[in-house]
Short mmCIF file of all heavy atoms in Angstrom, two decimals:
data_model
loop_
_atom_site.label_atom_id
_atom_site.label_comp_id
_atom_site.label_asym_id
_atom_site.label_seq_id
_atom_site.Cartn_x
_atom_site.Cartn_y
_atom_site.Cartn_z
N ILE H 555 55.00 46.75 81.11
CA ILE H 555 55.56 45.73 80.21
C ILE H 555 57.08 45.92 80.13
O ILE H 555 57.59 47.03 79.89
CB ILE H 555 54.97 45.85 78.79
CG1 ILE H 555 53.44 45.80 78.86
CG2 ILE H 555 55.53 44.74 77.89
CD1 ILE H 555 52.87 44.53 79.39
N PHE H 556 57.80 44.81 80.27
CA PHE H 556 59.24 44.76 80.01
C PHE H 556 59.45 43.73 78.89
O PHE H 556 59.02 42.57 79.01
CB PHE H 556 60.02 44.32 81.26
CG PHE H 556 59.96 45.31 82.38
CD1 PHE H 556 58.86 45.35 83.24
CD2 PHE H 556 60.98 46.23 82.58
CE1 PHE H 556 58.79 46.27 84.28
CE2 PHE H 556 60.92 47.16 83.61
CZ PHE H 556 59.82 47.17 84.47
N LEU H 557 60.11 44.18 77.81
CA LEU H 557 60.31 43.30 76.64
C LEU H 557 61.79 43.01 76.49
O LEU H 557 62.61 43.92 76.32
CB LEU H 557 59.75 43.99 75.39
CG LEU H 557 59.75 43.18 74.10
CD1 LEU H 557 58.96 41.88 74.26
CD2 LEU H 557 59.18 44.00 72.96
N LEU H 558 62.13 41.72 76.55
CA LEU H 558 63.53 41.27 76.52
C LEU H 558 63.81 40.67 75.16
O LEU H 558 63.12 39.73 74.72
CB LEU H 558 63.77 40.24 77.63
CG LEU H 558 65.14 39.60 77.72
CD1 LEU H 558 66.23 40.64 78.01
CD2 LEU H 558 65.14 38.54 78.84
N GLU H 559 64.83 41.16 74.45
CA GLU H 559 65.15 40.70 73.09
C GLU H 559 66.66 40.78 72.83
O GLU H 559 67.29 41.79 73.20
CB GLU H 559 64.38 41.54 72.07
CG GLU H 559 64.75 41.37 70.63
CD GLU H 559 64.63 39.93 70.13
OE1 GLU H 559 63.55 39.33 70.34
OE2 GLU H 559 65.58 39.43 69.53
N GLU H 560 67.20 39.74 72.18
CA GLU H 560 68.62 39.70 71.88
C GLU H 560 69.01 40.57 70.70
O GLU H 560 70.11 41.10 70.64
CB GLU H 560 69.05 38.24 71.60
CG GLU H 560 69.01 37.33 72.80
CD GLU H 560 69.46 35.93 72.46
OE1 GLU H 560 68.66 35.16 71.93
OE2 GLU H 560 70.65 35.63 72.73
N ASP H 561 68.13 40.69 69.73
CA ASP H 561 68.44 41.38 68.48
C ASP H 561 68.37 42.89 68.66
O ASP H 561 67.31 43.47 68.91
CB ASP H 561 67.43 40.94 67.40
CG ASP H 561 67.78 41.43 66.02
OD1 ASP H 561 68.19 42.60 65.89
OD2 ASP H 561 67.64 40.64 65.06
N LYS H 562 69.51 43.56 68.51
CA LYS H 562 69.61 45.01 68.73
C LYS H 562 68.69 45.78 67.78
O LYS H 562 68.05 46.76 68.16
CB LYS H 562 71.05 45.47 68.55
CG LYS H 562 71.25 46.97 68.77
CD LYS H 562 72.69 47.40 68.53
CE LYS H 562 73.61 46.91 69.64
NZ LYS H 562 74.99 47.47 69.52
N LEU H 563 68.60 45.31 66.52
CA LEU H 563 67.77 46.00 65.53
C LEU H 563 66.30 45.96 65.91
O LEU H 563 65.58 46.96 65.81
CB LEU H 563 67.98 45.38 64.15
CG LEU H 563 67.24 46.04 62.98
CD1 LEU H 563 67.64 47.51 62.85
CD2 LEU H 563 67.50 45.28 61.69
N LYS H 564 65.84 44.79 66.39
CA LYS H 564 64.45 44.66 66.82
C LYS H 564 64.16 45.56 68.02
O LYS H 564 63.11 46.21 68.09
CB LYS H 564 64.12 43.21 67.17
CG LYS H 564 63.98 42.29 65.97
CD LYS H 564 63.59 40.88 66.42
CE LYS H 564 63.41 39.96 65.23
NZ LYS H 564 63.06 38.58 65.66
N VAL H 565 65.10 45.61 68.94
CA VAL H 565 64.93 46.47 70.12
C VAL H 565 64.80 47.93 69.69
O VAL H 565 63.93 48.66 70.18
CB VAL H 565 66.13 46.31 71.08
CG1 VAL H 565 66.08 47.37 72.18
CG2 VAL H 565 66.14 44.91 71.68
N HIS H 566 65.65 48.35 68.74
CA HIS H 566 65.61 49.74 68.28
C HIS H 566 64.27 50.06 67.62
O HIS H 566 63.68 51.12 67.86
CB HIS H 566 66.76 49.97 67.30
CG HIS H 566 66.83 51.38 66.78
ND1 HIS H 566 67.15 52.46 67.60
CD2 HIS H 566 66.62 51.89 65.54
CE1 HIS H 566 67.13 53.56 66.88
NE2 HIS H 566 66.81 53.26 65.63
N LYS H 567 63.77 49.17 66.79
CA LYS H 567 62.49 49.38 66.10
C LYS H 567 61.34 49.51 67.10
O LYS H 567 60.45 50.35 66.95
CB LYS H 567 62.21 48.23 65.13
CG LYS H 567 63.05 48.29 63.86
CD LYS H 567 62.68 47.15 62.94
CE LYS H 567 63.48 47.21 61.63
NZ LYS H 567 63.16 46.09 60.71
N ILE H 568 61.36 48.66 68.13
CA ILE H 568 60.28 48.70 69.13
C ILE H 568 60.35 50.00 69.93
O ILE H 568 59.31 50.62 70.22
CB ILE H 568 60.40 47.47 70.06
CG1 ILE H 568 60.02 46.20 69.28
CG2 ILE H 568 59.49 47.62 71.27
CD1 ILE H 568 60.45 44.95 69.96
N GLN H 569 61.55 50.44 70.25
CA GLN H 569 61.69 51.69 71.00
C GLN H 569 61.15 52.88 70.22
O GLN H 569 60.62 53.83 70.79
CB GLN H 569 63.18 51.91 71.33
CG GLN H 569 63.71 50.99 72.42
CD GLN H 569 65.21 51.09 72.59
OE1 GLN H 569 65.92 51.54 71.70
NE2 GLN H 569 65.70 50.69 73.76
N GLU H 570 61.29 52.83 68.88
CA GLU H 570 60.80 53.91 68.03
C GLU H 570 59.27 53.90 67.93
O GLU H 570 58.64 54.96 67.80
CB GLU H 570 61.37 53.77 66.62
CG GLU H 570 62.84 54.12 66.51
CD GLU H 570 63.34 54.04 65.09
OE1 GLU H 570 62.74 53.29 64.28
OE2 GLU H 570 64.31 54.73 64.75
N LYS H 571 58.68 52.71 67.99
CA LYS H 571 57.25 52.57 67.69
C LYS H 571 56.36 52.53 68.92
O LYS H 571 55.22 52.99 68.90
CB LYS H 571 57.04 51.32 66.85
CG LYS H 571 55.68 51.21 66.20
CD LYS H 571 55.64 50.05 65.20
CE LYS H 571 54.29 49.99 64.51
NZ LYS H 571 54.21 48.86 63.54
N TYR H 572 56.85 51.92 70.02
CA TYR H 572 55.97 51.69 71.18
C TYR H 572 56.59 52.28 72.46
O TYR H 572 57.81 52.37 72.60
CB TYR H 572 55.75 50.18 71.41
CG TYR H 572 55.15 49.47 70.23
CD1 TYR H 572 55.93 48.59 69.45
CD2 TYR H 572 53.82 49.65 69.89
CE1 TYR H 572 55.39 47.92 68.37
CE2 TYR H 572 53.27 48.98 68.80
CZ TYR H 572 54.06 48.13 68.05
OH TYR H 572 53.53 47.47 66.97
N ASP H 573 55.70 52.63 73.39
CA ASP H 573 56.13 53.13 74.70
C ASP H 573 56.25 51.95 75.65
O ASP H 573 55.39 51.74 76.53
CB ASP H 573 55.13 54.16 75.21
CG ASP H 573 55.60 54.79 76.53
OD1 ASP H 573 56.79 54.71 76.82
OD2 ASP H 573 54.74 55.31 77.25
N ILE H 574 57.29 51.14 75.42
CA ILE H 574 57.50 49.89 76.19
C ILE H 574 58.94 49.86 76.68
O ILE H 574 59.85 50.24 75.94
CB ILE H 574 57.23 48.65 75.30
CG1 ILE H 574 55.75 48.62 74.85
CG2 ILE H 574 57.57 47.36 76.03
CD1 ILE H 574 55.48 47.58 73.78
N MET H 575 59.14 49.39 77.89
CA MET H 575 60.48 49.25 78.43
C MET H 575 61.16 48.06 77.76
O MET H 575 60.68 46.92 77.86
CB MET H 575 60.43 49.02 79.94
CG MET H 575 61.82 48.86 80.56
SD MET H 575 62.80 50.38 80.50
CE MET H 575 61.92 51.41 81.67
N THR H 576 62.25 48.31 77.01
CA THR H 576 62.95 47.23 76.30
C THR H 576 64.32 46.99 76.90
O THR H 576 65.00 47.93 77.32
CB THR H 576 63.10 47.57 74.81
OG1 THR H 576 63.73 48.84 74.68
CG2 THR H 576 61.74 47.61 74.11
N ILE H 577 64.70 45.72 76.91
CA ILE H 577 66.01 45.33 77.42
C ILE H 577 66.68 44.47 76.36
O ILE H 577 66.11 43.47 75.89
CB ILE H 577 65.92 44.51 78.74
CG1 ILE H 577 65.30 45.37 79.84
CG2 ILE H 577 67.29 44.01 79.17
CD1 ILE H 577 63.82 45.19 79.99
N GLU H 578 67.87 44.86 75.92
CA GLU H 578 68.63 44.05 74.97
C GLU H 578 69.38 42.97 75.74
O GLU H 578 70.29 43.28 76.53
CB GLU H 578 69.60 44.93 74.17
CG GLU H 578 70.35 44.16 73.10
CD GLU H 578 71.40 45.02 72.42
OE1 GLU H 578 71.25 46.27 72.41
OE2 GLU H 578 72.38 44.44 71.91
N GLY H 579 68.99 41.71 75.54
CA GLY H 579 69.65 40.64 76.28
C GLY H 579 69.04 39.29 75.97
O GLY H 579 68.07 39.18 75.21
#
Side-chain angles (χ1 to χ4, degrees):
I555 307 297
F556 294 82
L557 186 58
L558 178 62
E559 170 58 50
E560 291 182 279
D561 189 318
K562 180 182 289 188
L563 183 59
K564 286 183 179 179
V565 170
H566 181 67
K567 285 182 178 179
I568 290 165
Q569 287 172 338
E570 287 183 335
K571 193 171 183 180
Y572 302 108
D573 184 20
I574 297 169
M575 180 67 69
T576 54
I577 298 95
E578 184 186 335

